[in-house]
Amino acid sequence: MATVKSTKTTGKKAAPAKSSKAKAESAPAKAPSQSKPAHIIDVPKTVEELKVSILRHLHTTQGTDSEKASKKAWWGATASAINEVVFERVTQTQKKQRKTDTRAVHYLSLEYLMGRLLKNNLCSLDLMGVAEQALTELGCDFHEIYDEEPDMALGNGGLGRLAACYIDSLATLNYPAIGYGIHYEHGLFNQSFLGGRQVERPDSWREYGNPWEICRPESVQEIPLYGYVETRYNEQGEIEKEWHPGRIIKGVPWDIPIVGYGESNVNILRLWESRASDFFNWDVFNAGGYLDSHVENVQAETISKVLYPNDTTDAGKELRLIQQYFFTACSIKDIVRRYKRAHGDDWSKFADQVVMQLNDTHPAVAIPEMMRILIDRAGMEWDDAWALCQKVFAYTNHTLLPEALEKWPVHLFERVLPRHLEIIYEINARFLDGIVSKVFADDEHLDAIKSKLSIIEEGDHKMVRMGNLSVIGSFKVNGVAQIHSELVKSDLFPEFYRIWPEKFTNVTNGVTPRRWLKACNPKLSELIDKHIDADWPVHLDKLQGLAKKAKNKTFQNAFMKIKHDNKVELAKTIKELTDVDVDPNAIFDIQIKRLHEYKRQQLNLIHIMALYRRLLQNPDLDVPKRVFIFGAKAAPGYHMAKEIIYAINKVADRINLDERIKDKLKVVLLPNYRVSLAEKMIPAADVSEQISTAGKEASGTGNMKLALNGAVTVGTLDGANIEIAEEVGDDNIVIFGLTVAQVKELKGEGYNPWDYYYANPELKAVLDWFDTDYFTPGKPGELADVKRSMLDYGDEYLCLADYQSYSQAHKRVDELFRDKAKWAEMAIINTAKMGKFNSDRSIEDYVRDIWKLESCQAV
Ligand SMILES: *Cc1c(COP(=O)(O)O)cnc(C)c1O
């Protein structure tokens, strides 16, 4: 095995060498003193080397041999083989970062929707070809080996996937960064359908071990909970507070390597697992009575047991608050420990070295926790501590939906985190009496403004508003797409914006093109490699170079041939998962995202029913064949979302078996939508459904992944769709529906869905269909709730108002698809113009406007 360190090109970012020729040319240029010690294993360069390594791990790590090894064992051995490189890079990266004592970002997120890691790690190390060859020669089908890996689904949807894309980009760009989160034992539930209804089963992603994680017992933290606060005077006669916790929880860190693309750093994602600690609080015991009330307290091991499966709304449950505090407090202790190792008790450099990004309000309790540490532990004065805190935190807002803005009952906060509640009250009082009173001194509504800006919501049930706390405690607040960031300022936090206009900014979301194009769509990637520089995965703007080939017949044919091949592959997956046959020549029209009324899968559904009805009325109707493909999980407690899932499945069953319509229409809802399924669906999409009510989808990232792979968006002017339209141009996207301004106007006038129902006979007929037993034989009315949501319950998301425009948009899609050359051109332009939506650009925006980091390459 070669032990010479592979060399770097001098540029900031080098793509993996493309061919063995390129590698041969970059001769080793390292000083001898820097050559690797003998135990360090270099990137296996040849198929032979990798085979040897995989076989070694099959024997030593998996305890088996090539004759009796299961696919799971082959997968584990392959992962272990590349870990020889990966973990060495972790060590190198950390050593370098420690030596240079660089400023780093600490990304705090309750969710990381990582998906599988093997293929992406191979892709990052430029070993995909080598590994596939090696596995083939070892007698394995590498697709099957990839499919053995369970998804790491420690997140619900967009927010968690964004965190995963961002840590990928941070590693690729060599920024010092660490992701912090929870090491859930069970990630997002597995979904199946029973008679069309969603059934949830627990996800056990690490039941049989996980080769990607390393436990770090040396960095265990202890986290206090419950108990009471003692107030006393010290020798100087000053008030001191001491929190006597009722319980101590142990936080055990697991590190997962985040492999940057090319010759890049390997950062870590540090996930905390909760354990019982041996601590017993004699103080509390002696205080008497306390013990009884603690019997019902959350048990230590349950804290990291399971991910809350709600995409937007929160249950307001004690366990959830404890999860938030647990991982946040562990992370801050970890950050402080690392800082003190370099700077001792001198806090003056802390804000130079540390920035913490709050991914939504979920980790907002970090703000009072930091204050507690500075005041109660480090003995800092309030004003100094607060000034420091306000330099350290930045907050990303992810939603304007009122039900998703986190609030905690004051009485719950007080019981679980009594000291933090005191600190929050103090922050609040100083804020309201200080800057609010000053800025709004002459406002006749000062009291109303104060009660709106207060962290504490008054009323019968007092609440702690985590959004207000996050804005007040952070130096920057960003939305996730231009329009969303404007709405954050104008609608959500207008008074805060008046106080601190410079605090508010935008960072439009992005997705990593390594996972979402290079690794998931190898054929298209290869075609792109042939036409533009092969470093496009780290310079995605270069895709622009494809635009000039958009009208070229040969290129169009090559591009659409790949799309067709990908559709053939997806058709096989559809057959396996649903037993439905679909024609790869049909339009593959895909809506994949969490099931939520604001995302309007029900609008898609009623339009499908209208198409079906048109075909029943005229079976010879000349329309292109369509396959509508859904993927969506509903939160287990979200009744209407589950009804919509059931309705999609029932309508699909009826349509797919109806021979009268001659296969012109098919509908499938693929079970258990998740990252690894997305990777199979997205390369095969012709049409991308991004149809949220304007003003409701903060950004969306599925829209970006689909367009990047050459799908044409049918979308509203919402979230990042607006910026996608700006990039691809109006001719290459199909926009429909009310704008944000029109939505506001319509709602202001008093929206009445019945007006639309009576005005449009097709719409009326389709909605009335839900009352019959046409789709649920013998059981009329089973789908009636879906209709009711759009009529009796007020159609909050304006499906009926947008229906006509949506139907028109799809007629336009049919027309465009008939013109094969035109469609190919649109698809190519979509891929070519997605440069902006790569997460490297988002990260550079964060770095420039918020984090102020410098890159530091160790590998
Ligand atoms: C990208 C992604 C999402 C987010 O999709 P949106 O359409 O932006 O809501 C959700 N789930 C998975 C598995 C994803 O990959």
Side-chain angles (χ1 to χ4, degrees):
M1 192 66 64
T3 56
V4 179
K5 185 170 175 132
S6 65
T7 54
K8 298 190 287 275
T9 49
T10 43
K12 182 170 164 237
K13 190 64 249 129
K18 261 194 65 204
S19 61
S20 49
K21 180 163 162 282
K23 268 183 186 160
E25 282 166 2
S26 58
K30 283 274 166 193
S33 61
Q34 287 183 358
S35 67
K36 284 181 185 169
H39 67 277
I40 301 307
I41 291 167
D42 205 351
V43 180
K45 287 195 185 62
T46 67
V47 171
E48 275 317 309
E49 283 173 354
L50 188 61
K51 275 165 73 179
V52 168
S53 181
I54 292 173
L55 283 172
R56 183 169 65 238
H57 282 286
L58 203 60
H59 285 259
T60 59
T61 313
Q62 300 293 321
T64 181
D65 63 30
S66 54
E67 272 164 35
K68 61 175 200 291
S70 65
K71 285 181 211 153
K72 187 75 96 217
W74 281 110
W75 165 70
T78 310
S80 297
I82 71 161
N83 275 343
E84 291 183 345
V85 185
V86 167
F87 282 110
E88 178 53 24
R89 287 198 185 176
V90 171
T91 307
Q92 295 301 333
T93 303
Q94 293 185 345
K95 196 185 273 179
K96 173 82 184 238
Q97 287 174 3
R98 203 158 47 235
K99 264 197 204 139
T100 33
D101 192 26
T102 46
R103 176 175 172 80
V105 64
H106 304 78
Y107 199 84
L108 304 190
S109 179
L110 205 49
E111 303 190 8
Y112 290 89
L113 194 49
M114 301 295 290
R116 294 171 176 160
L117 301 185
L118 178 58
K119 199 200 286 184
N120 279 87
N121 287 349
L122 289 170
C123 173
S124 288
L125 298 168
D126 193 26
L127 286 176
M128 209 137 71
V130 171
E132 292 176 0
Q133 178 77 24
L135 285 167
T136 307
E137 289 182 17
L138 289 166
C140 301
D141 177 333
F142 61 85
H143 296 292
E144 287 181 12
I145 302 300
Y146 288 152
D147 271 336
E148 280 300 302
E149 180 166 356
D151 273 44
M152 204 177 154
L154 309 186
N156 274 286
L159 175 146
R161 185 53 235 175
L162 186 77
C165 284
Y166 281 179
I167 57 179
D168 174 283
S169 284
L170 281 162
T172 298
L173 297 169
N174 295 309
Y175 286 116
I178 177 164
Y180 282 110
I182 293 182
H183 191 259
Y184 298 107
E185 185 178 333
H186 303 285
L188 187 61
F189 63 86
N190 278 304
Q191 176 197 55
S192 56
F193 301 123
L194 194 64
R197 293 204 177 269
Q198 172 174 295
V199 176
E200 304 98 20
R201 275 176 302 101
D203 159 68
S204 301
W205 63 284
R206 57 193 298 282
E207 194 175 6
Y208 306 113
N210 173 9
W212 304 118
E213 56 186 14
I214 285 194
C215 190
R216 301 287 191 195
E218 68 274 22
S219 300
V220 162
Q221 300 295 348
E222 302 215 306
I223 300 304
L225 283 177
Y226 304 111
Y228 64 94
V229 179
E230 182 194 357
T231 305
R232 59 166 182 250
Y233 291 86
N234 66 15
E235 282 152 20
Q236 287 76 45
E238 295 156 341
I239 289 184
E240 270 184 3
K241 299 281 191 172
E242 185 166 354
W243 177 16
H244 298 273
R247 178 165 302 188
I248 303 283
I249 311 290
K250 215 158 67 174
V252 179
W254 293 85
D255 287 354
I256 291 157
I258 306 301
V259 185
Y261 180 82
E263 305 221 332
S264 298
N265 289 357
V266 179
N267 285 340
I268 59 162
L269 170 61
R270 175 160 283 191
L271 301 177
W272 300 97
E273 179 187 321
S274 66
R275 302 258 182 93
S277 112
D278 8 12
F279 166 93
F280 187 80
N281 191 334
W282 291 101
D283 255 8
V284 171
F285 180 75
N286 292 334
Y290 270 94
L291 216 52
D292 296 335
S293 68
H294 289 157
V295 172
E296 65 202 62
N297 284 349
V298 166
Q299 297 297 312
E301 290 80 4
T302 57
I303 295 172
S304 60
K305 196 79 163 174
V306 60
L307 167 78
Y308 273 85
N310 293 316
D311 191 29
T312 52
T313 60
D314 288 304
K317 290 291 193 302
E318 179 167 338
L319 177 58
R320 168 93 177 179
L321 175 61
I322 292 175
Q323 284 187 337
Q324 297 184 349
Y325 178 64
F326 165 73
F327 100 92
T328 287
C330 285
S331 306
I332 289 182
K333 282 213 161 107
D334 204 47
I335 293 164
V336 168
R337 177 189 53 85
R338 204 174 295 118
Y339 174 80
K340 286 195 163 185
R341 204 166 54 197
H343 301 273
D345 288 333
D346 172 14
W347 287 91
S348 67
K349 302 270 176 1
F350 191 72
D352 298 333
Q353 300 300 91
V354 173
V355 57
M356 287 186 241
Q357 188 67 35
L358 309 175
N359 196 25
D360 213 322
T361 57
H362 312 153
V365 68
I367 295 166
E369 171 67 2
M370 195 71 227
M371 286 297 282
R372 183 182 76 85
I373 287 178
L374 294 175
I375 293 170
D376 296 359
R377 299 269 135 172
M380 211 178 272
E381 295 295 324
W382 181 280
D383 288 333
D384 298 332
W386 185 241
L388 181 51
C389 264
Q390 280 195 304
K391 288 187 194 137
V392 166
F393 293 104
Y395 156 55
T396 304
N397 174 277
H398 282 273
T399 176
L400 307 168
L401 297 181
E403 70 269 28
L405 294 175
E406 285 193 299
K407 290 179 197 173
W408 295 104
V410 164
H411 68 82
L412 173 63
F413 226 104
E414 187 167 28
R415 197 162 65 79
V416 177
L417 300 169
R419 179 61 183 134
H420 296 78
L421 185 66
E422 286 187 353
I423 290 170
I424 286 170
Y425 269 112
E426 182 77 25
I427 293 171
N428 198 39
R430 287 169 184 253
F431 167 66
L432 295 176
D433 296 345
I435 196 157
V436 176
S437 299
K438 206 166 94 198
V439 172
F440 295 97
D442 301 327
D443 199 305
E444 54 179 321
H445 305 297
L446 179 60
D447 286 341
I449 290 169
K450 278 188 175 178
S451 81
K452 199 175 161 202
L453 297 191
S454 173
I455 303 172
I456 305 299
E457 182 178 282
E458 300 293 336
D460 289 346
H461 304 282
K462 280 201 204 178
M463 304 288 251
V464 183
R465 295 166 169 155
M466 302 307 269
N468 289 15
L469 173 63
S470 299
V471 175
I472 294 165
S474 299
F475 67 91
K476 284 283 176 184
V477 176
N478 76 282
V480 289
Q482 251 149 32
I483 188 171
H484 168 65
S485 295
E486 287 308 312
L487 293 170
V488 166
K489 292 190 281 192
S490 62
D491 293 16
L492 186 63
F493 296 131
E495 296 84 4
F496 285 117
Y497 179 56
R498 241 196 81 187
I499 299 173
W500 295 301
E502 68 297 335
K503 198 184 263 202
F504 290 81
T505 187
N506 171 248
V507 179
T508 298
N509 283 168
V511 300
T512 170
R514 276 76 67 180
R515 180 175 293 266
W516 296 112
L517 180 52
K518 172 110 185 165
C520 76
N521 198 341
K523 286 182 178 154
L524 184 54
S525 301
E526 213 177 295
L527 178 70
I528 295 171
D529 281 346
K530 282 190 207 141
H531 287 86
I532 61 173
D533 293 346
D535 63 354
W536 59 265
V538 283
H539 297 285
L540 203 66
D541 284 331
K542 290 193 180 181
L543 290 182
Q544 189 79 253
L546 301 175
K548 62 175 183 285
K549 305 189 168 30
K551 287 183 196 290
N552 176 300
K553 266 264 132 353
T554 318
F555 189 75
Q556 286 183 348
N557 288 341
F559 194 98
M560 295 314 287
K561 165 78 166 63
I562 290 163
K563 180 63 78 182
H564 188 268
D565 290 349
N566 291 337
K567 288 162 76 176
V568 170
E569 282 304 308
L570 181 59
K572 283 186 210 155
T573 303
I574 290 170
K575 179 71 179 172
E576 279 163 28
L577 292 176
T578 66
D579 202 31
V580 175
D581 291 297
V582 300
D583 178 356
N585 295 304
I587 301 175
F588 276 24
D589 184 316
I590 297 192
Q591 187 174 20
I592 42 179
K593 48 187 75 256
R594 285 301 289 264
L595 202 307
H596 201 292
E597 286 165 281
Y598 87 77
K599 293 178 181 280
R600 298 202 294 193
Q601 283 94 349
Q602 70 277 34
L603 174 59
N604 193 344
L605 178 65
I606 58 176
H607 173 252
I608 290 167
M609 291 161 69
L611 291 181
Y612 177 45
R613 185 169 170 275
R614 287 175 207 165
L615 283 168
L616 289 180
Q617 291 180 339
N618 177 9
D620 296 321
L621 195 66
D622 184 22
V623 289
K625 279 188 176 181
R626 283 252 204 169
V627 183
F628 288 92
I629 307 167
F630 292 86
K633 287 177 182 174
Y638 186 173
H639 169 76
M640 192 57 73
K642 292 181 124 176
E643 291 298 301
I644 293 168
I645 284 194
Y646 182 60
I648 293 171
N649 277 325
K650 293 320 255 184
V651 170
D653 287 349
R654 188 73 169 90
I655 290 179
N656 295 338
L657 291 175
D658 194 330
E659 289 175 0
R660 294 171 295 176
I661 58 169
K662 300 171 190 151
D663 288 345
K664 282 185 183 161
L665 189 57
K666 288 278 165 95
V667 184
V668 289
L669 168 44
L670 299 188
N672 208 24
Y673 178 59
R674 62 198 187 284
V675 170
S676 59
L677 189 53
E679 288 165 2
K680 295 178 176 151
M681 299 173 82
I682 288 169
D686 293 308
V687 172
S688 161
E689 297 272 353
Q690 306 300 336
I691 62 176
S692 54
T693 316
K696 298 292 181 188
E697 188 75 271
S699 163
T701 50
N703 46 5
M704 302 167 186
K705 301 168 199 166
L706 283 150
L708 181 61
N709 284 271
V712 174
T713 304
V714 172
T716 48
L717 287 173
D718 197 19
N721 296 354
I722 295 174
E723 290 160 71
I724 290 174
E726 282 168 12
E727 294 297 307
V728 302
D730 294 345
D731 290 345
N732 298 297
I733 188 166
V734 182
I735 294 294
F736 75 95
L738 299 170
T739 62
V740 169
Q742 289 165 337
V743 166
K744 279 187 190 165
E745 195 186 320
L746 182 58
K747 291 227 166 174
E749 288 164 359
Y751 168 62
N752 185 0
W754 293 98
D755 294 344
Y756 296 83
Y757 172 82
Y758 286 116
N760 185 334
E762 179 178 71
L763 184 55
K764 180 175 183 305
V766 165
L767 287 165
D768 291 343
W769 227 347
F770 282 117
D771 293 327
T772 71
D773 76 342
Y774 190 86
F775 300 101
T776 54
K779 295 172 179 168
E782 262 204 329
L783 306 181
D785 247 13
V786 178
K787 174 185 179 184
R788 272 179 223 126
S789 77
M790 287 180 268
L791 284 165
D792 308 65
Y793 307 155
D795 189 21
E796 190 183 342
Y797 299 104
L798 306 178
C799 290
L800 303 201
D802 272 346
Y803 174 78
Q804 192 55 41
S805 172
Y806 183 57
S807 169
Q808 227 89 64
H810 275 290
K811 285 182 180 159
R812 175 115 187 86
V813 168
D814 279 351
E815 271 170 44
L816 290 164
F817 194 77
R818 281 175 199 282
D819 183 345
K820 293 295 168 211
K822 174 66 197 157
W823 190 269
E825 182 186 337
M826 290 174 73
I828 294 163
I829 292 290
N830 268 273
T831 297
K833 301 289 185 176
M834 281 306 104
K836 172 175 177 184
F837 303 102
N838 99 74
S839 46
D840 299 346
R841 190 271 313 147
S842 308
I843 290 300
E844 296 291 15
D845 286 354
Y846 275 104
V847 165
R848 189 185 58 249
D849 300 339
I850 304 176
W851 299 339
K852 316 281 184 196
L853 305 176
E854 281 169 36
S855 77
C856 169
Q857 186 160 11
V859 172

